[in-house]
PDB file of all heavy atoms in Angstrom:
ATOM      1  N   LEU A1307      24.572 124.894 157.301  1.00 88.00           N
ATOM      2  CA  LEU A1307      23.559 123.694 157.075  1.00 88.00           C
ATOM      3  C   LEU A1307      22.303 123.939 157.748  1.00 88.00           C
ATOM      4  O   LEU A1307      21.109 123.728 157.207  1.00 88.00           O
ATOM      5  CB  LEU A1307      24.200 122.387 157.590  1.00 88.00           C
ATOM      6  CG  LEU A1307      25.497 121.999 156.803  1.00 88.00           C
ATOM      7  CD1 LEU A1307      25.946 120.659 157.415  1.00 88.00           C
ATOM      8  CD2 LEU A1307      25.323 121.944 155.348  1.00 88.00           C
ATOM      9  N   HIS A1345      28.108 112.180 156.602  1.00 88.00           N
ATOM     10  CA  HIS A1345      26.678 112.276 156.289  1.00 88.00           C
ATOM     11  C   HIS A1345      25.695 111.852 157.328  1.00 88.00           C
ATOM     12  O   HIS A1345      24.592 112.253 157.489  1.00 88.00           O
ATOM     13  CB  HIS A1345      26.413 111.448 154.987  1.00 88.00           C
ATOM     14  CG  HIS A1345      27.079 112.176 153.753  1.00 88.00           C
ATOM     15  ND1 HIS A1345      28.121 111.583 153.102  1.00 88.00           N
ATOM     16  CD2 HIS A1345      26.948 113.359 153.281  1.00 88.00           C
ATOM     17  CE1 HIS A1345      28.560 112.482 152.238  1.00 88.00           C
ATOM     18  NE2 HIS A1345      27.848 113.526 152.259  1.00 88.00           N
ATOM     19  N   PHE A1348      25.460 115.104 159.231  1.00 92.00           N
ATOM     20  CA  PHE A1348      24.600 116.037 158.574  1.00 92.00           C
ATOM     21  C   PHE A1348      23.153 115.626 158.565  1.00 92.00           C
ATOM     22  O   PHE A1348      22.263 116.478 158.777  1.00 92.00           O
ATOM     23  CB  PHE A1348      25.098 116.268 157.036  1.00 92.00           C
ATOM     24  CG  PHE A1348      26.525 116.565 156.908  1.00 92.00           C
ATOM     25  CD1 PHE A1348      27.269 116.129 155.782  1.00 92.00           C
ATOM     26  CD2 PHE A1348      27.176 117.270 157.944  1.00 92.00           C
ATOM     27  CE1 PHE A1348      28.565 116.414 155.609  1.00 92.00           C
ATOM     28  CE2 PHE A1348      28.506 117.649 157.705  1.00 92.00           C
ATOM     29  CZ  PHE A1348      29.183 117.201 156.664  1.00 92.00           C
ATOM     30  N   TRP A1364      18.467 124.808 153.093  1.00 93.00           N
ATOM     31  CA  TRP A1364      18.523 123.772 152.121  1.00 93.00           C
ATOM     32  C   TRP A1364      19.475 124.105 150.967  1.00 93.00           C
ATOM     33  O   TRP A1364      19.980 123.201 150.359  1.00 93.00           O
ATOM     34  CB  TRP A1364      17.137 123.696 151.535  1.00 93.00           C
ATOM     35  CG  TRP A1364      16.153 123.101 152.456  1.00 93.00           C
ATOM     36  CD1 TRP A1364      15.126 123.701 153.176  1.00 93.00           C
ATOM     37  CD2 TRP A1364      16.130 121.797 153.010  1.00 93.00           C
ATOM     38  NE1 TRP A1364      14.465 122.905 154.125  1.00 93.00           N
ATOM     39  CE2 TRP A1364      15.119 121.570 153.991  1.00 93.00           C
ATOM     40  CE3 TRP A1364      16.924 120.573 152.872  1.00 93.00           C
ATOM     41  CZ2 TRP A1364      14.797 120.436 154.635  1.00 93.00           C
ATOM     42  CZ3 TRP A1364      16.698 119.409 153.503  1.00 93.00           C
ATOM     43  CH2 TRP A1364      15.630 119.365 154.415  1.00 93.00           C
ATOM     44  N   ASP A1365      19.661 125.457 150.609  1.00 92.00           N
ATOM     45  CA  ASP A1365      20.622 125.699 149.546  1.00 92.00           C
ATOM     46  C   ASP A1365      22.143 125.284 150.017  1.00 92.00           C
ATOM     47  O   ASP A1365      22.813 124.732 149.221  1.00 92.00           O
ATOM     48  CB  ASP A1365      20.669 127.177 149.298  1.00 92.00           C
ATOM     49  CG  ASP A1365      20.918 128.082 150.492  1.00 92.00           C
ATOM     50  OD1 ASP A1365      20.708 127.603 151.644  1.00 92.00           O
ATOM     51  OD2 ASP A1365      21.308 129.251 150.360  1.00 92.00           O
ATOM     52  N   GLY A1366      22.369 125.436 151.373  1.00 88.00           N
ATOM     53  CA  GLY A1366      23.725 125.046 151.943  1.00 88.00           C
ATOM     54  C   GLY A1366      23.804 123.493 151.827  1.00 88.00           C
ATOM     55  O   GLY A1366      24.813 122.898 151.481  1.00 88.00           O
ATOM     56  N   VAL A1367      22.677 122.787 152.199  1.00 90.00           N
ATOM     57  CA  VAL A1367      22.713 121.319 152.234  1.00 90.00           C
ATOM     58  C   VAL A1367      22.926 120.785 150.833  1.00 90.00           C
ATOM     59  O   VAL A1367      23.695 119.878 150.519  1.00 90.00           O
ATOM     60  CB  VAL A1367      21.347 120.747 152.830  1.00 90.00           C
ATOM     61  CG1 VAL A1367      21.221 119.259 152.608  1.00 90.00           C
ATOM     62  CG2 VAL A1367      21.115 121.156 154.145  1.00 90.00           C
ATOM     63  N   LEU A1368      22.321 121.407 149.824  1.00 91.00           N
ATOM     64  CA  LEU A1368      22.332 121.023 148.457  1.00 91.00           C
ATOM     65  C   LEU A1368      23.803 121.259 148.042  1.00 91.00           C
ATOM     66  O   LEU A1368      24.472 120.360 147.360  1.00 91.00           O
ATOM     67  CB  LEU A1368      21.355 121.687 147.594  1.00 91.00           C
ATOM     68  CG  LEU A1368      21.385 121.425 146.103  1.00 91.00           C
ATOM     69  CD1 LEU A1368      21.042 120.037 145.766  1.00 91.00           C
ATOM     70  CD2 LEU A1368      20.493 122.456 145.249  1.00 91.00           C
ATOM     71  N   GLU A1369      24.272 122.604 148.204  1.00 88.00           N
ATOM     72  CA  GLU A1369      25.523 122.913 147.570  1.00 88.00           C
ATOM     73  C   GLU A1369      26.729 122.249 148.250  1.00 88.00           C
ATOM     74  O   GLU A1369      27.773 121.829 147.664  1.00 88.00           O
ATOM     75  CB  GLU A1369      25.689 124.466 147.702  1.00 88.00           C
ATOM     76  CG  GLU A1369      26.975 124.972 147.080  1.00 88.00           C
ATOM     77  CD  GLU A1369      27.041 126.504 147.289  1.00 88.00           C
ATOM     78  OE1 GLU A1369      26.002 127.107 147.503  1.00 88.00           O
ATOM     79  OE2 GLU A1369      28.215 127.003 147.312  1.00 88.00           O
ATOM     80  N   LYS A1370      26.699 122.158 149.645  1.00 83.00           N
ATOM     81  CA  LYS A1370      27.825 121.684 150.395  1.00 83.00           C
ATOM     82  C   LYS A1370      27.808 120.287 150.765  1.00 83.00           C
ATOM     83  O   LYS A1370      28.804 119.654 151.226  1.00 83.00           O
ATOM     84  CB  LYS A1370      28.007 122.557 151.650  1.00 83.00           C
ATOM     85  CG  LYS A1370      28.263 124.028 151.487  1.00 83.00           C
ATOM     86  CD  LYS A1370      29.594 124.226 150.816  1.00 83.00           C
ATOM     87  CE  LYS A1370      29.970 125.643 150.719  1.00 83.00           C
ATOM     88  NZ  LYS A1370      31.259 125.897 150.120  1.00 83.00           N
ATOM     89  N   VAL A1371      26.650 119.578 150.676  1.00 85.00           N
ATOM     90  CA  VAL A1371      26.496 118.136 151.107  1.00 85.00           C
ATOM     91  C   VAL A1371      26.083 117.310 149.935  1.00 85.00           C
ATOM     92  O   VAL A1371      26.736 116.280 149.510  1.00 85.00           O
ATOM     93  CB  VAL A1371      25.526 117.995 152.220  1.00 85.00           C
ATOM     94  CG1 VAL A1371      25.447 116.537 152.603  1.00 85.00           C
ATOM     95  CG2 VAL A1371      26.033 118.763 153.479  1.00 85.00           C
ATOM     96  N   VAL A1372      24.834 117.469 149.365  1.00 88.00           N
ATOM     97  CA  VAL A1372      24.348 116.651 148.389  1.00 88.00           C
ATOM     98  C   VAL A1372      25.138 116.598 147.038  1.00 88.00           C
ATOM     99  O   VAL A1372      25.493 115.594 146.576  1.00 88.00           O
ATOM    100  CB  VAL A1372      22.863 117.081 148.011  1.00 88.00           C
ATOM    101  CG1 VAL A1372      22.279 116.180 146.949  1.00 88.00           C
ATOM    102  CG2 VAL A1372      22.032 116.974 149.199  1.00 88.00           C
ATOM    103  N   ILE A1373      25.557 117.730 146.556  1.00 89.00           N
ATOM    104  CA  ILE A1373      26.327 117.849 145.213  1.00 89.00           C
ATOM    105  C   ILE A1373      27.627 117.139 145.476  1.00 89.00           C
ATOM    106  O   ILE A1373      28.074 116.288 144.686  1.00 89.00           O
ATOM    107  CB  ILE A1373      26.381 119.225 144.687  1.00 89.00           C
ATOM    108  CG1 ILE A1373      24.951 119.732 144.193  1.00 89.00           C
ATOM    109  CG2 ILE A1373      27.317 119.301 143.642  1.00 89.00           C
ATOM    110  CD1 ILE A1373      24.968 121.083 143.707  1.00 89.00           C
ATOM    111  N   PRO A1374      28.402 117.561 146.512  1.00 85.00           N
ATOM    112  CA  PRO A1374      29.713 116.819 146.795  1.00 85.00           C
ATOM    113  C   PRO A1374      29.493 115.288 147.005  1.00 85.00           C
ATOM    114  O   PRO A1374      30.370 114.522 146.708  1.00 85.00           O
ATOM    115  CB  PRO A1374      30.181 117.496 148.085  1.00 85.00           C
ATOM    116  CG  PRO A1374      29.621 118.859 148.031  1.00 85.00           C
ATOM    117  CD  PRO A1374      28.360 118.597 147.484  1.00 85.00           C
ATOM    118  N   MET A1375      28.334 114.902 147.639  1.00 85.00           N
ATOM    119  CA  MET A1375      28.082 113.587 147.929  1.00 85.00           C
ATOM    120  C   MET A1375      28.012 112.730 146.645  1.00 85.00           C
ATOM    121  O   MET A1375      28.443 111.539 146.526  1.00 85.00           O
ATOM    122  CB  MET A1375      26.851 113.377 148.788  1.00 85.00           C
ATOM    123  CG  MET A1375      26.444 111.897 149.026  1.00 85.00           C
ATOM    124  SD  MET A1375      24.899 111.770 150.032  1.00 85.00           S
ATOM    125  CE  MET A1375      23.730 112.129 148.811  1.00 85.00           C
ATOM    126  N   ILE A1376      27.409 113.391 145.606  1.00 87.00           N
ATOM    127  CA  ILE A1376      27.300 112.709 144.304  1.00 87.00           C
ATOM    128  C   ILE A1376      28.600 112.786 143.549  1.00 87.00           C
ATOM    129  O   ILE A1376      29.090 111.877 142.871  1.00 87.00           O
ATOM    130  CB  ILE A1376      26.127 113.369 143.552  1.00 87.00           C
ATOM    131  CG1 ILE A1376      24.817 113.098 144.160  1.00 87.00           C
ATOM    132  CG2 ILE A1376      26.016 112.853 142.033  1.00 87.00           C
ATOM    133  CD1 ILE A1376      23.585 113.879 143.737  1.00 87.00           C
ATOM    134  N   LEU A1377      29.207 113.940 143.502  1.00 89.00           N
ATOM    135  CA  LEU A1377      30.340 114.267 142.591  1.00 89.00           C
ATOM    136  C   LEU A1377      31.642 113.523 143.103  1.00 89.00           C
ATOM    137  O   LEU A1377      32.403 112.961 142.377  1.00 89.00           O
ATOM    138  CB  LEU A1377      30.671 115.709 142.539  1.00 89.00           C
ATOM    139  CG  LEU A1377      29.623 116.473 141.639  1.00 89.00           C
ATOM    140  CD1 LEU A1377      30.034 117.988 141.581  1.00 89.00           C
ATOM    141  CD2 LEU A1377      29.663 115.906 140.234  1.00 89.00           C
ATOM    142  N   SER A1378      31.872 113.576 144.460  1.00 87.00           N
ATOM    143  CA  SER A1378      33.116 113.050 145.016  1.00 87.00           C
ATOM    144  C   SER A1378      33.375 111.558 144.707  1.00 87.00           C
ATOM    145  O   SER A1378      34.455 111.223 144.320  1.00 87.00           O
ATOM    146  CB  SER A1378      33.293 113.335 146.521  1.00 87.00           C
ATOM    147  OG  SER A1378      32.330 112.834 147.263  1.00 87.00           O
ATOM    148  N   PRO A1379      32.383 110.725 144.802  1.00 87.00           N
ATOM    149  CA  PRO A1379      32.700 109.417 144.477  1.00 87.00           C
ATOM    150  C   PRO A1379      32.861 109.094 142.986  1.00 87.00           C
ATOM    151  O   PRO A1379      33.701 108.295 142.609  1.00 87.00           O
ATOM    152  CB  PRO A1379      31.387 108.587 144.890  1.00 87.00           C
ATOM    153  CG  PRO A1379      30.676 109.416 145.857  1.00 87.00           C
ATOM    154  CD  PRO A1379      31.077 110.939 145.420  1.00 87.00           C
ATOM    155  N   PRO A1512      32.488 119.805 153.095  1.00 80.00           N
ATOM    156  CA  PRO A1512      32.739 118.720 154.018  1.00 80.00           C
ATOM    157  C   PRO A1512      32.384 117.320 153.358  1.00 80.00           C
ATOM    158  O   PRO A1512      31.280 116.780 153.473  1.00 80.00           O
ATOM    159  CB  PRO A1512      31.633 118.921 155.209  1.00 80.00           C
ATOM    160  CG  PRO A1512      30.698 119.763 154.522  1.00 80.00           C
ATOM    161  CD  PRO A1512      31.257 120.552 153.461  1.00 80.00           C
ATOM    162  N   HIS A1517      33.385 107.860 151.118  1.00 82.00           N
ATOM    163  CA  HIS A1517      32.973 107.770 149.692  1.00 82.00           C
ATOM    164  C   HIS A1517      34.121 107.879 148.860  1.00 82.00           C
ATOM    165  O   HIS A1517      34.237 107.169 147.752  1.00 82.00           O
ATOM    166  CB  HIS A1517      32.011 108.983 149.477  1.00 82.00           C
ATOM    167  CG  HIS A1517      30.751 108.775 150.135  1.00 82.00           C
ATOM    168  ND1 HIS A1517      29.678 109.593 149.818  1.00 82.00           N
ATOM    169  CD2 HIS A1517      30.243 107.961 151.081  1.00 82.00           C
ATOM    170  CE1 HIS A1517      28.623 109.308 150.519  1.00 82.00           C
ATOM    171  NE2 HIS A1517      28.966 108.307 151.326  1.00 82.00           N
ATOM    172  N   PHE A1548      23.337 106.056 150.391  1.00 85.00           N
ATOM    173  CA  PHE A1548      22.146 106.800 150.038  1.00 85.00           C
ATOM    174  C   PHE A1548      21.095 106.722 151.303  1.00 85.00           C
ATOM    175  O   PHE A1548      20.354 107.657 151.357  1.00 85.00           O
ATOM    176  CB  PHE A1548      21.407 106.252 148.844  1.00 85.00           C
ATOM    177  CG  PHE A1548      22.042 106.737 147.517  1.00 85.00           C
ATOM    178  CD1 PHE A1548      22.964 105.913 146.832  1.00 85.00           C
ATOM    179  CD2 PHE A1548      21.825 108.012 147.085  1.00 85.00           C
ATOM    180  CE1 PHE A1548      23.600 106.395 145.721  1.00 85.00           C
ATOM    181  CE2 PHE A1548      22.572 108.454 145.968  1.00 85.00           C
ATOM    182  CZ  PHE A1548      23.402 107.654 145.231  1.00 85.00           C
ATOM    183  N   MET A1551      21.950 109.475 155.312  1.00 92.00           N
ATOM    184  CA  MET A1551      21.407 110.749 155.834  1.00 92.00           C
ATOM    185  C   MET A1551      19.967 110.482 156.333  1.00 92.00           C
ATOM    186  O   MET A1551      19.592 111.040 157.351  1.00 92.00           O
ATOM    187  CB  MET A1551      21.449 111.700 154.754  1.00 92.00           C
ATOM    188  CG  MET A1551      23.007 112.357 154.646  1.00 92.00           C
ATOM    189  SD  MET A1551      23.016 113.814 153.593  1.00 92.00           S
ATOM    190  CE  MET A1551      22.168 115.044 154.539  1.00 92.00           C
TER     191      MET A1551
END
Side-chain angles (χ1 to χ4, degrees):
L1307 303 181
H1345 290 116
F1348 304 149
W1364 291 110
D1365 55 339
V1367 173
L1368 178 65
E1369 182 184 337
K1370 296 295 187 181
V1371 177
V1372 176
I1373 291 176
M1375 180 178 74
I1376 295 169
L1377 287 183
S1378 59
H1517 290 191
F1548 281 102
M1551 282 188 69

